[in-house]
């Protein structure tokens, strides 16, 4: 096998893509995208299928997070670990995540910039408390230096929900509210009276372009013997409740590996102005 071979791609979906269901268009239209599946057994089976379909060619798995789901990266790495030691040896790679929080801030700024004056309601499917709290931080940073006085957050299936978020915008004085998605899905699953739907955060062509960039970078690393899986297992470090180590307890985190991950070419710095 040569590393110049095009990779077969599998997309790992989490809460930001409704378990991969919001990525169906990419699977249907992208010839290199074999499947999209949630981490765990469905992802393992999708990767096995991709390895079989690829012959002796490489397979790259992209964690489809916009920056609020480090657990997806680690779960994906765990799903690939044994496959990489077996039928995927030497030709299975975990790419850098689709996006990081800084990317999401830039993408939301661009989406908000296209919205009329008034309030911007940033929407996403509800996840865990830390992931949801992170969206409030991201929305606040997306508001910085923008022209919208109000940037509020709402969660499908969470608190506040989009209707409550829109009402809060109106109570604060906004005459017009635009919903902007902080996910791969729609900004509004159900139309709300008086709320403008800002459409998807990124156009399918922009999503496909980022996936292609992540895949190309992973193939380069795979050619140097780095499959990205060990680094991916470290993705959840520092996420969640703070923890301490008692006297004599060792921290089981591989800090050398952690430094290697950040020093390697797992660079997720796409232009913040990626079209949406």
């Amino acid at each position: 096998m040569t590393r110049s071979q095009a990779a077969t791609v599998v997309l790992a979906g989490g809460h930001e893509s409704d378990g991969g269901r919001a990525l169906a268009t990419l699977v249907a239209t992208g010839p290199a995208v074999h499947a999209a599946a949630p981490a765990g057994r469905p992802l393992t089976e999708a990767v096995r299928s991709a390895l079989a379909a690829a012959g002796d060619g490489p397979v790259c798995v992209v964690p489809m997070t916009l920056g609020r789901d480090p657990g997806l990266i680690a779960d994906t790495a765990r799903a690939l670990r044994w496959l990489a030691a077996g039928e995927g040896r030497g030709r299975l790679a975990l790419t850098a995540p689709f996006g990081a929080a800084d990317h999401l801030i830039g993408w939301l700024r661009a989406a908000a910039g296209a919205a009329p004056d008034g309030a911007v309601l940033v929407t996403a499917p509800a996840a865990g408390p830390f992931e949801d709290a992170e969206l409030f931080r991201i929305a606040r940073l997306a508001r910085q230096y923008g022209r919208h006085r109000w940037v509020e957050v709402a969660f499908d299936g969470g608190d506040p929900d989009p209707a409550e978020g829109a009402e809060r915008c109106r109570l604060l004085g906004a005459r017009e509210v635009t919903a902007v998605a902080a996910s791969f899905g729609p900004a509004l699953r159900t139309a709300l009276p008086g709320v403008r739907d800002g459409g998807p955060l990124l156009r399918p062509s922009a999503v496909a372009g980022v996936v292609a960039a992540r895949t190309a970078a992973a193939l380069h690393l795979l050619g140097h013997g780095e499959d990205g899986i060990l680094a991916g297992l470290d993705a959840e470090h520092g996420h969640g409740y703070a923890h301490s180590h008692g006297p004599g307890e060792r921290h089981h985190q591989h800090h050398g590996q952690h430094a290697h991950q950040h020093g390697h070419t797992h660079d997720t710095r796409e232009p913040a102005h990626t079209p949406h």
Side-chain angles (χ1 to χ4, degrees), residues 119-123 126 136 152-172 177 188 190-193 195:
V120 171
L121 183 63
V122 177
T123 66
F136 282 95
E152 297 293 320
V153 171
F155 301 97
D156 286 310
D159 178 26
D161 65 23
E164 292 169 328
E167 181 61 21
R168 174 172 170 76
C169 292
R170 295 189 187 96
L171 290 173
L172 290 171
V177 180
L188 293 174
T190 305
L192 292 175
V195 179

Side-chain angles (χ1 to χ4, degrees), residues 140-164:
R140 178 63 182 83
L141 292 172
R143 173 180 176 267
Q144 194 72 19
Y145 309 119
R147 60 184 176 82
H148 292 86
R149 182 177 178 184
W150 303 284
V151 177
E152 297 293 320
V153 171
F155 301 97
D156 286 310
D159 178 26
D161 65 23
E164 292 169 328

Side-chain angles (χ1 to χ4, degrees), residues 50-139:
L51 286 166
D56 65 349
V59 172
C60 291
V61 182
V62 186
M64 296 297 287
T65 173
L66 292 164
R68 292 195 307 115
D69 196 356
L72 173 65
I73 305 167
D75 288 344
T76 301
R78 284 189 282 269
L80 301 185
R81 192 174 190 179
W82 303 114
L83 290 172
E87 60 258 52
R89 183 184 297 275
R91 62 189 189 98
L92 178 60
L94 174 63
T95 78
F98 178 91
D102 287 349
H103 298 113
L104 181 54
I105 292 166
W107 289 327
L108 286 173
R109 280 178 176 165
D117 290 338
V120 171
L121 183 63
V122 177
T123 66
F130 294 99
E131 292 83 359
D132 291 353
E134 174 70 354
L135 187 56
F136 282 95
R137 184 188 76 86
I138 286 170

Side-chain angles (χ1 to χ4, degrees), residues 203-232:
R203 293 177 180 173
S205 59
V207 177
V210 176
V211 168
R214 298 290 176 263
T215 301
L219 283 176
H220 174 77
L221 291 176
L222 190 60
H224 293 278
E226 172 58 68
D227 63 12
I229 294 172
L230 194 60

